[in-house]
Amino acid sequence: MLNRRSLLATATAVGLAAPLGREALAAAMAPVAMPAPSLYDKDEDAYWAGLRKQFLMPADLVNLNNGTVGSSPRPVLKAVFDSYEQTEQMMQAGAEEYPIWGYGPWPEFRKPFADLVGAHVDQIAIVRNCTEANSFIGNGFDMKAGDEVLMSDEEHGSGIAPWELRAKRYGIVIKTFAMPKPPKSPDEILNRINDAITPRTKIIFVSHISTNTGVILPAKQISALARSKGIVSAFDGAHAAGMGKLDLNDIGCDLYAGSMHKWLFSPKGTGFLYVRDDSIGDRLWPTTVTHSWDDRTLKAGRYQQFGSSNIPTMMGLNAAVAMAQDIGIDRIERRHRQLADYLHAEMMKRGATSWTSPDPAMRCAIITVNVPPVQRMELETWLWQNHKIRVRGGEPSKLRLSTPYYLSKADLERFLDAFDAFRRMKGLA
Ligand SMILES: Cc1ncc(COP(=O)(O)O)c(C=O)c1O
């Protein structure tokens, strides 16, 4: 395992700046004023550049891999650190109020987030991440041997594994449909789902935004299709919260798993489970349990009764939600799409083939292109070690590029120039 010294040695060897030491970090953590909201109308790029300063990432780091984890900005970090300082003094007013966290209903943390994603506080359980929420669905949904779950062939490992476990242990059956690459319209996906449904299909479990391609699946239509056939609909929405407008009750699904640490920039260790109402709650057994595990009056709160937990993380979540609300989710979504569309168009000019849908309704801040014969891992490593640019790929030549709102056009140009230089260096352009 790498210790701090070997990490620093590795960083130095590849020419990267080492992470800041304590004093430098304290200086870097000094509050930086948020850009005035009115700046947006006067000079949009300056507004986003102002927001970039809220992130601790060095100014010359270009993060095109927000799809894996987001970086939490200063207001979020401050909320977390302040909360630790407060709570660890053990000076809470109540005789039993010291940190026994994880047995309460937590409306003060669930409600702001629920408001952001178009849900009622009672429909949201805050859990550790999307993996945990996916496991709660796969493990807890009432099924018997031979019952089928239908999913796409692009699900994330944490979406597949709970069902595999269930199949191995209890004999449920996993059915898969192939996602078109790229899908040209929502109907292409709906038809494939429709064709794969059998009389034994009990639940459709698919991503809202595909981790492989960034394609947005037509969640509302999938939910309606499922409902029309008496099938439960469940989504893995790891990439949706904070990416753009999300209205869970409008989607009309039964269950929805997600994480806030990616596009909402909340602290790591924040995820959620949405449970539409009692009719689905009655069919979803809780997985991690303690007191109150069967208290139906808690509604979705039943799924977050998991014992000693972490209030500072929740304070960070509230700060992340507040920041997104202050900026405005419509502005965030527009910016995400603009940056991603620009990058996509530039990669197409360079001869890439695309797995990003041509339908604007199915696009977001994650684009996916294939750039053979470039070997993605070689490119990924070279970009990071030589240019401080983070991208994420897949074998052999796939690039998944994600464009958080704080990136500038200049950041994108830096990546494109570096990509061109890499191809020249390899004699490919
Ligand atoms: C679609 C999808 N589901 C689930 C996950 C796992 O998310 P988490 O790290 O929040 O558990 C990811 C992570 O990238 C993902 O892309």
Side-chain angles (χ1 to χ4, degrees), residues 112-123:
F113 178 73
D115 289 346
L116 181 76
V117 296
H120 187 271
V121 58
D122 284 340
Q123 296 172 305

Side-chain angles (χ1 to χ4, degrees), residues 67-68 128-132 134 156 158-159 207 209-211 236 238-239 258-259 261-262 270 400:
T68 298
R128 277 184 302 182
N129 52 33
C130 189
T131 300
E132 190 165 62
N134 282 341
H156 186 267
S158 74
S207 293
I209 298 177
S210 164
T211 193
D236 172 342
H239 294 280
S259 45
H261 65 80
K262 292 179 189 288
T270 46
R400 187 188 73 172

Side-chain angles (χ1 to χ4, degrees), residues 247-426:
D247 190 335
L248 293 174
N249 281 333
D250 181 60
I251 288 174
C253 58
D254 295 304
L255 297 164
Y256 194 104
S259 45
M260 300 86 149
H261 65 80
K262 292 179 189 288
W263 294 91
L264 199 54
F265 308 139
S266 174
K268 283 78 194 158
T270 46
F272 70 97
L273 173 67
Y274 163 92
V275 182
R276 184 167 52 86
D277 58 22
D278 288 346
S279 69
I280 181 69
D282 288 345
R283 300 172 70 186
L284 188 73
W285 292 89
T287 290
T288 306
V289 286
T290 178
H291 314 290
S292 315
W293 73 272
D294 204 19
D295 179 354
R296 301 304 171 98
T297 63
L298 290 174
K299 309 282 180 186
R302 207 154 60 95
Y303 304 96
Q304 56 173 51
Q305 299 300 303
F306 40 52
S308 304
S309 192
N310 197 332
I311 288 279
T313 303
M314 297 299 125
M315 299 298 281
L317 167 63
N318 274 3
V321 170
M323 187 164 160
Q325 296 280 31
D326 286 350
I327 298 168
I329 204 73
D330 290 342
R331 284 180 177 178
I332 290 175
E333 178 171 333
R334 208 161 37 244
R335 174 74 174 182
H336 278 159
R337 286 173 182 271
Q338 275 167 3
L339 294 172
D341 286 351
Y342 176 78
L343 198 52
H344 186 260
E346 286 300 314
M347 291 307 286
M348 297 306 279
K349 282 185 204 161
R350 287 161 171 79
T353 56
S354 176
W355 283 351
T356 297
S357 175
D359 182 340
M362 301 173 83
R363 292 167 79 126
C364 64
I366 302 175
I367 63 156
T368 299
V369 290
N370 288 283
V371 289
V374 169
Q375 294 299 300
R376 71 96 183 183
M377 200 59 222
E378 201 186 343
L379 174 66
E380 228 179 280
T381 309
W382 184 83
L383 285 171
W384 176 238
Q385 294 186 345
N386 296 284
H387 295 276
K388 245 194 250 182
I389 297 174
R390 287 195 184 280
V391 300
R392 185 83 190 268
E395 304 314 335
S397 303
K398 184 186 96 166
L399 294 183
R400 187 188 73 172
L401 304 169
S402 44
T403 53
Y405 61 68
Y406 55 73
L407 291 178
S408 66
K409 203 81 174 293
D411 290 330
L412 303 189
E413 296 304 341
R414 259 191 65 205
F415 161 74
L416 292 165
D417 288 348
F419 177 74
D420 292 342
F422 179 84
R423 289 203 309 169
R424 279 195 303 275
M425 186 178 80
K426 292 280 167 189

